[in-house]
Structures are given as structure tokens and as C-alpha cells.
């Protein structure tokens, strides 16, 4: 995807900008993006919301829907079309580094003694939203057509509609668990471990949908060829790349900077391969992180993980602005707003409901079970990554993309208020009966 910026006839084009002017605009736009997005994240955290919410809101504000419509001259001066490829490149680079770190951190051994409950919760919170999303795509094809989708939806589009409802954002969920003091509680551990399984399921199904769609550089290959080559690449990475990396990391004394450069280069190369196979770069980055061996004993290497996360968190605002550029808020019709309400309601009820029921069947009381369901409703960054991949592959129209981006924002915003409401309900219901009976005495007068 490229930045859809300053594309009017009067906008500055690549031919109108000298190399010096191009660099000047790029540096200025980068400064604005970094400062504005991180300031928005800081403000969101002060308001009790995840950092990502503020960054995404800032990205949308800097896009054509708000800044572009209220101050078009300023927007075109800040974001001429000529700098779009450079900003897109930074956004993709930050995404590769971030997902490489996510893959490196992924460890299903965290399931521990609650493996069965975690898998049950993950399956329930995947299957139910997936079925509802795909079913609604088939039932409401007329509404989707009004939002720019074709009348005859392809199987990949139907599957993608289910993935859009089933996704959970593990990084944002983990941050919310930590900030609410739930890291050492049963519902917190269960939610994080179930989200890890759920994440693996969603990425796998999304990869299948993108392969079927035939998007990306590998679109000229037939679907069976893409599947075969992708499976072969995964096997090659697991059977050849992993042992070589273990030899490199465990038996050599590379300088930290050289090791970091080699591993990021490895992630970028893997992302290039999956893109060439018709998948998104995100899958190559994730796979590269998964095959990188941990330290002896299974521990994470802090000298590797810390700089990866630092680089990713610094540059991710470029991805949020990239996401915001495709949000067509000023083109939202009554159908779009109605679809947003319905999709958000379905997203919340299916995810919270399925997660709560499955956690309750796993032995948690109703309050802790609701906590698990509410946490799994967090979509955030993972949803945005999936939506951008779907838009790139032609599985989403621009109006439907806008609807789903705002659904992701709304469900993430609702997490903290729902957790507080659940905590108040739990406190009131767990209060001793004698205390409740004497809390308010009727007037006997």
C-alpha cells in the first residue's frame, strides 16, 4: 500500500520537486508524524486508554478525512505525493521489525497447566466471531455492495470478513493486562495465553485468504503453486534457517550491533520472500521471528528484544499514518454508519460472549470469565495490520476498510471501561450480604 496523499492536480508531484525539496518535505513530514503520534499516544495513556489508540487517532487526524478536508493547502504542503513511497517504506520497515519481535516473543509454552482451558477459550473466541463474520458477509451482500464490495463475493473475501471479527491484538492485550495489575492473576494469564493461540489461528487463516486472493507480487502464480511454495518455504525456514541461526547466535561472539543488523536483514529478506509468493510482508517477518532460537534455557535475549521493540515503537507512527491515509471518513454514508454500529456490536458480543462462556466452562467464576472475554475483545494493532493486508490484496473496499478501522478503534476503546464496570459489579456482588443489607436503611419515620 502507498500513501494516498496530495493526489490532486495542484499537488506537488515527483517531477515538480527537486531532490533537495523532496528531502526537505520528507524530513518535515517525518518530524510531524513522530511528534504528533507519540504525543497522541501519551495523551491517550493519560486518559486511561492504550497508547495505540492515541497514535491511531492521530494518524486519522493527519489523513485526508480531517486535515485534508479542513486545511487542504496545508495538507498538500505537508504531504506531497512525491514523498509517499518514502513514508510507505518507513511504515513497512517498522511493521517488519515489530512483527519480527512479536514472532520472537511468541511462546506457546506459556500455556502451562492451563493449556486445555487456554486452547478451549482460543478456539471458542475464534470460531464464533469467524462464523458470524463470514455468515453476515453472505447474508448482507447488498449492504456490502453499497460499501463498494462486488455483488459476488469471492471465498477469500468471505473468509476475511470472519477474520476481521475474530482478531485479537496480543501486544495491546498484554499492555492492558500489565497496566491493570492482572499479570499474575488467573484471568490475566488465561487471556494472554489464549490470545497467543488465537493469534496463530488468525494469521494462518489470513495467510490462506491472501493466497487464495492472489494478491501481491505472486499474483501471477496459480493458487496451488503459491500454497506449495509457501509450505516449502516454511519447512526450509524451520529445518535449515533455524539450525544455522542457532549456530550463529550460540557459538559465535558477534558484536551486538552486527548481530542485530544480521537478524533485521534476515527478517527483511523473509518479508521479501513472502511478498514475492503473493502474501504480505507481515508473514515473512513473523516467520523470521518464530524461527530465531531463544537463549539456552528458552529465555529471551534482552539485548536483542529491547532494541527491536525500541525501534519498532519509535517508527510505528508511520504505519498508523499509513492506516489513516486510507480512512475515508468524509465519504461515509448513512449505510456506512449503520454498518459500523452493527459490526461493532457483533464484534463485541461475539468475542466477549464466546470468551466468557468458554472461560466459565474452564472453571473460572463469572466475574473472572467476563474479564477474559473483555480482554480478548481488544483488537488494536493486529486488526490494523490485517486490514491493511486485506486492502492491499483487494479483499476490502475503501468504505468497508474505514468501517472496520473504526470498529477496531471502538473495541479497543471499550476495553478499559468494560473492565472497570466488571470490577464494580464483582465488588458489589462479592460484598457480604450483611454489608449490603445495612448499606442503605429505609426511612422508618
Amino acid at each position: 500500500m502507498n500513501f494516498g496523499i496530495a493526489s490532486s492536480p495542484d499537488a506537488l508531484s515527483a517531477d515538480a520537486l527537486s531532490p533537495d525539496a523532496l528531502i526537505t518535505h520528507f524530513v518535515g513530514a517525518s518530524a510531524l508524524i513522530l511528534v504528533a503520534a507519540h504525543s497522541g499516544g501519551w495523551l491517550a495513556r493519560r486518559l486511561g486508554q492504550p497508547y495505540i489508540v492515541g497514535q491511531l487517532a492521530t494518524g486519522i487526524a493527519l489523513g485526508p478525512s480531517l486535515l485534508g478536508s479542513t486545511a487542504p493547502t496545508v495538507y498538500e504542503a505537508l504531504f506531497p505525493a512525491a514523498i509517499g513511497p518514502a513514508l510507505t517504506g518507513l511504515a513497512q520497515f517498522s511493521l517488519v521489525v515489530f512483527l519480527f519481535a512479536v514472532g520472537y516473543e511468541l511462546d506457546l509454552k506459556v500455556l502451562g497447566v492451563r493449556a486445555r482451558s487456554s486452547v478451549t477459550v482460543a478456539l471458542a473466541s475464534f470460531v464464533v466471531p469467524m462464523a458470524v463474520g463470514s455468515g453476515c458477509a453472505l447474508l448482507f451482500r447488498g449492504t456490502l455492495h453499497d460499501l463498494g464490495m462486488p455483488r459476488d463475493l469471492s471465498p477469500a473475501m468471505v473468509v476475511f470478513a470472519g477474520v476481521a471479527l475474530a482478531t485479537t491484538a496480543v501486544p495491546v492485550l498484554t499492555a492492558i493486562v500489565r497496566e491493570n495489575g492482572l499479570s499474575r492473576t488467573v484471568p490475566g494469564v488465561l487471556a494472554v495465553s489464549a490470545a497467543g493461540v488465537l493469534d496463530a489461528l488468525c494469521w494462518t487463516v489470513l495467510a490462506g485468504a491472501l493466497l487464495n486472493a492472489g494478491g501481491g507480487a505472486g499474483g501471477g502464480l496459480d493458487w496451488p503453486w503459491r500454497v506449495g511454495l509457501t509450505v516449502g518455504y516454511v519447512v526450509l525456514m524451520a529445518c535449515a534457517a533455524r539450525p544455522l541461526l542457532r549456530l550463529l547466535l550460540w557459538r559465535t561472539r558477534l558484536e551486538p550491533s552486527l548481530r542485530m543488523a544480521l537478524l533485521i536483514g534476515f527478517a527483511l529478506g523473509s518479508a521479501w520472500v513472502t511478498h514475492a509468493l503473493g502474501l504480505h510482508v507481515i508473514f515473512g517477518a513473523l516467520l523470521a521471528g518464530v524461527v530465531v532460537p531463544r537463549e539456552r534455557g528458552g529465555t529471551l535475549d534482552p539485548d536483542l528484544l529491547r532494541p527491536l521493540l525500541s525501534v519498532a515503537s519509535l517508527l510505528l507512527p508511520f504505519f498508523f499514518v499509513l492506516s489513516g491515509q486510507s480512512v475515508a471518513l468524509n465519504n461515509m454514508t448513512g449505510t456506512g454508519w449503520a454498518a459500523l454500529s452493527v459490526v461493532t456490536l457483533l464484534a463485541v458480543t461475539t468475542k466477549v460472549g464466546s470468551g466468557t462462556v468458554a472461560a466459565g466452562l474452564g472453571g473460572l467464576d463469572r466475574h473472572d470469565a467476563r474479564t477474559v472475554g473483555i480482554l480478548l475483545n481488544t483488537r488494536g494493532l493486529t486488526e490494523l495490520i490485517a486490514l491493511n493486508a486485506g486492502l492491499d490484496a483487494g479483499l476490502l473496499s475503501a468504505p468497508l476498510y474505514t468501517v472496520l478501522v473504526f470498529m477496531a478503534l471502538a473495541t479497543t476503546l471499550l476495553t478499559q471501561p468494560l473492565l472497570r464496570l466488571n470490577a464494580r459489579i464483582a465488588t458489589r456482588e462479592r460484598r457480604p450480604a450483611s454489608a449490603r443489607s445495612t448499606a442503605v436503611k429505609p426511612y422508618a419515620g
Side-chain angles (χ1 to χ4, degrees), residues 95-440:
L95 203 56
V96 167
V97 174
F98 172 76
L99 289 170
F100 177 59
V102 169
Y104 180 63
E105 285 186 296
L106 184 63
D107 184 13
L108 296 183
K109 294 178 182 177
V110 73
L111 300 179
V113 296
R114 291 195 169 266
R116 183 181 228 172
S117 298
S118 300
V119 172
T120 301
V121 170
L123 287 175
S125 58
F126 172 78
V127 171
V128 175
M130 183 82 191
V132 170
S134 298
C136 287
L138 294 172
L139 289 173
F140 300 104
R141 283 175 288 185
T143 302
L144 293 179
H145 181 67
D146 293 338
L147 293 174
M149 297 294 288
R151 288 193 181 276
D152 295 324
L153 299 177
S154 68
M157 291 175 179
V158 175
V159 170
F160 188 85
V163 173
L165 257 64
T167 302
T168 292
V170 176
V172 181
L173 182 151
T174 304
I176 292 175
V177 166
R178 186 169 54 248
E179 291 172 5
N180 284 272
L182 298 171
S183 300
R184 297 183 181 274
T185 66
V186 171
V189 172
L190 181 59
V192 171
S193 56
V197 179
L198 180 62
D199 214 28
L201 289 171
C202 286
W203 288 124
T204 302
V205 175
L206 179 60
L210 293 179
L211 282 172
N212 183 262
L221 294 173
D222 291 334
W223 186 79
W225 277 103
R226 290 198 302 274
V227 173
L229 289 172
T230 300
V231 172
Y233 179 63
V234 172
V235 172
L236 179 66
M237 289 285 279
C239 297
R242 188 176 180 87
L244 288 175
L245 287 171
R246 186 180 291 114
L247 179 67
L248 176 68
L249 297 177
W250 286 7
R251 296 191 180 181
T252 59
R253 296 289 181 180
L254 294 178
E255 292 184 3
S257 58
L258 176 58
R259 181 176 57 175
M260 177 66 61
L262 289 174
L263 289 176
I264 291 181
F266 172 66
L268 291 168
S270 179
W272 176 82
V273 170
T274 56
H275 180 72
L277 292 173
L279 287 167
H280 199 276
V281 296
I282 57 180
F283 297 102
L286 270 171
L287 179 60
V290 169
V291 301
V292 169
R294 297 183 171 212
E295 295 293 283
R296 290 183 175 89
T299 59
L300 295 170
D301 181 2
D303 292 332
L304 172 62
L305 188 60
R306 193 181 302 113
L308 280 175
L309 294 176
S310 297
V311 171
S313 62
L314 175 66
L315 297 180
L316 270 177
F318 289 95
F319 173 72
F320 292 117
V321 173
L322 171 66
S323 301
Q325 295 295 327
S326 299
V327 172
L329 184 59
N330 49 354
N331 293 329
M332 283 280 281
T333 61
T335 301
W337 290 112
L340 174 60
S341 302
V342 173
V343 168
T344 303
L345 179 62
L346 289 174
V348 173
T349 53
T350 56
K351 184 68 79 170
V352 175
S354 59
T356 299
V357 171
L361 293 175
L364 273 66
D365 64 41
R366 62 178 178 272
H367 306 299
D368 287 345
R370 276 200 302 264
T371 299
V372 173
I374 291 168
L375 288 170
L376 291 175
N377 187 50
T378 305
R379 286 171 175 84
L381 180 57
T382 305
E383 178 81 8
L384 291 181
I385 295 171
L387 293 179
N388 275 275
L391 187 62
D392 279 348
L395 300 179
L396 289 176
S397 62
L400 184 57
Y401 172 84
T402 300
V403 168
L404 294 176
V405 166
F406 276 98
M407 178 274 287
L409 184 60
T411 53
T412 308
L413 279 168
L414 284 171
T415 302
Q416 287 286 12
L418 288 176
L419 284 174
R420 295 191 190 102
L421 177 61
N422 186 48
R424 284 198 294 269
I425 293 173
T427 301
R428 185 167 60 250
E429 292 184 357
R430 287 169 177 168
R431 190 184 304 168
S434 58
R436 289 199 301 269
S437 64
T438 58
V440 179

